[in-house]
Amino acid sequence: MKIEMFTVDDLPLIRDGDDLSGMICDRISPEDGDVIVIASTIIGKAEGAVFSLDDVIPGEHALQIACSNGKDPRFVQAVLDRSVEFLLESPMMLVQTSNGHVCINAGIDDSNVDDGLLVDLPSDPDASARNIGIGIERICGSHVSVIITDTNGRAFKIGQTGVAIGVYRIHPIKNWRGRPDLFGNILEITEEAVADEIASAANLLMGEGDGGYPVVVVRGSDLYTDDDVAIGEMYRADDEDMIKKGLRCLAKL
Ligand code: GDP
Ligand code: MN
Ligand code: MN
C-alpha cells in the first residue's frame, strides 16, 4: 500500500477575497480521490477574518478573566466573542467554539499574519471546505475531498499536531466496529479518526513557520465519499465527554 503527499508550491501571501480553489488549480492537477489539506490560517485570510485588537473593547467579564490569567483584556474579549463555553480560563483559555471545536484561544492566531494583526478560524469550516471542494470540481473537473486543519495541542502529551476542523467529501471517522481482527475477533469499539490522521501527516509538510506551504495534497487514500459529511461527526456528545465534565467540576471549586 502507498499514500503519497506533496505540497502546493509558490502560493503567495493570501489576502481577503483570494480564490483559493483557482490558486490551487493553477499550480497542480488534482486527481479524483485526492484529499486537499488546507491550513485554516489561509482560509481565515481569504475570508477576511483578520482583525486588530485595537478594534476590540473589553467588557466586564473579559476584564475579570484577564485579571486571573494576565492576558490582554482585548484578546480575552476576542476569545469570549468566539466561544460558547470556557472550559479553562487560566493559565490558558481552553474554549469550545460555536461549531463544537475545543481549542486554546478559540483558535485565534498571531503567527503567519501581518504584524499586530490576528486571524480567526473560519466561522463555518465545513462550509469553507465545501466551497473550495466545489470550486476545484468546477475548475479542474476532479472529485476531491477537502480537510481544513489547525495546529492544536493535545491533552496528556507535549507537542502540537495538525487536526481537522472542517471536512468535505470525507468522513472524519472510520468505523471499524463489526470487522474482524487477525484472529477473527469482532472489533467492538474501534473508531479511527482518519481526518485527524491525514491532517497531522499533512502538517509534517506544512510545518509551523515561514515555509509557505499551507496546502498539501494527499493522494492514494480510499477515503473519498459522495456523502454529506460534517466535522461534528467526530465531536463527542457533551454528556459522554468525561474530560469536559471534569473541567466543569474543576471550574466550580
Ligand atoms: P495553522 O496551522 O492553520 O495555524 O497555520 P500555520 O500558521 O501553522 O501555517 C501553516 C503553513 O502555511 C506554514 O507553512 C506557513 O508558512 C504557511 N502559510 C501561512 N499563511 C500563508 C500565506 O498567506 N501564504 C503562504 N504561501 N503560506 C502561508
Ligand atoms: Mn492556527
Ligand atoms: Mn500550524
Side-chain angles (χ1 to χ4, degrees):
M1 290 184 287
K2 182 168 116 178
I3 286 182
E4 190 185 2
M5 203 167 75
F6 56 91
T7 51
V8 175
D9 296 344
D10 303 320
L11 285 164
L13 283 175
I14 300 303
R15 308 247 158 253
D16 188 359
D18 277 348
D19 167 23
L20 294 179
S21 328
M23 293 170 110
I24 293 168
C25 292
D26 282 346
R27 288 167 177 78
I28 57 148
S29 302
E31 292 181 4
D32 284 348
D34 282 353
V35 186
I36 313 291
V37 187
I38 308 176
S40 52
T41 297
I42 65 159
I43 307 281
K45 290 180 192 173
E47 292 181 357
V50 174
F51 67 102
S52 162
L53 285 188
D54 295 341
D55 300 323
V56 181
I57 299 161
E60 194 58 41
H61 192 190
L63 291 165
Q64 207 183 316
I65 294 173
C67 272
S68 77
N69 65 19
K71 314 256 183 234
D72 184 324
R74 299 169 305 167
F75 184 68
V76 176
Q77 184 62 52
V79 175
L80 271 172
D81 291 341
R82 291 153 182 83
S83 307
V84 292
E85 181 177 5
F86 266 57
L87 293 162
L88 274 177
E89 291 180 358
S90 178
M92 71 281 241
M93 294 182 278
L94 177 70
V95 306
Q96 181 166 330
T97 66
S98 57
N99 60 69
H101 181 51
V102 174
C103 61
I104 301 296
N105 297 338
I108 299 170
D109 222 330
D110 63 358
S111 54
N112 288 317
V113 215
D114 292 277
D115 265 353
L117 296 180
L118 298 168
V119 62
D120 261 333
L121 293 184
S123 56
D124 183 349
D126 286 337
S128 308
R130 184 166 59 245
N131 286 339
I132 293 173
I134 289 172
I136 291 175
E137 280 163 24
R138 189 171 39 78
I139 300 167
C140 313
S142 28
H143 293 85
V144 299
S145 310
V146 178
I147 298 179
I148 312 285
T149 67
D150 195 17
T151 302
N152 278 189
R154 286 101 30 93
F156 312 117
K157 279 184 164 175
I158 293 169
Q160 289 106 49
T161 66
V163 299
I165 64 161
V167 287
Y168 174 68
R169 297 284 191 240
I170 177 173
H171 283 290
I173 296 284
K174 175 174 173 177
N175 193 347
W176 287 83
R177 270 181 289 190
R179 302 197 202 190
D181 73 2
L182 281 175
F183 295 92
N185 303 309
I186 299 301
L187 297 170
E188 281 171 12
I189 51 171
T190 312
E191 293 174 303
E192 183 180 0
V194 288
D196 281 345
E197 291 179 316
I198 291 192
S200 94
N203 202 72
L204 283 171
L205 294 184
M206 289 181 186
E208 303 293 345
D210 63 358
Y213 300 112
V215 184
V216 169
V217 179
V218 176
R219 185 165 289 169
S221 84
D222 59 355
L223 296 167
Y224 178 88
T225 175
D226 281 322
D227 297 350
D228 284 331
V229 301
I231 196 68
E233 293 169 37
M234 81 182 325
Y235 295 144
R236 187 169 280 143
D238 222 47
D239 55 336
E240 289 168 11
D241 197 315
M242 301 309 293
I243 313 273
K244 272 190 203 164
K245 282 186 187 173
L247 289 169
R248 286 179 191 132
C249 283
L250 264 183
K252 284 192 206 121
L253 293 180

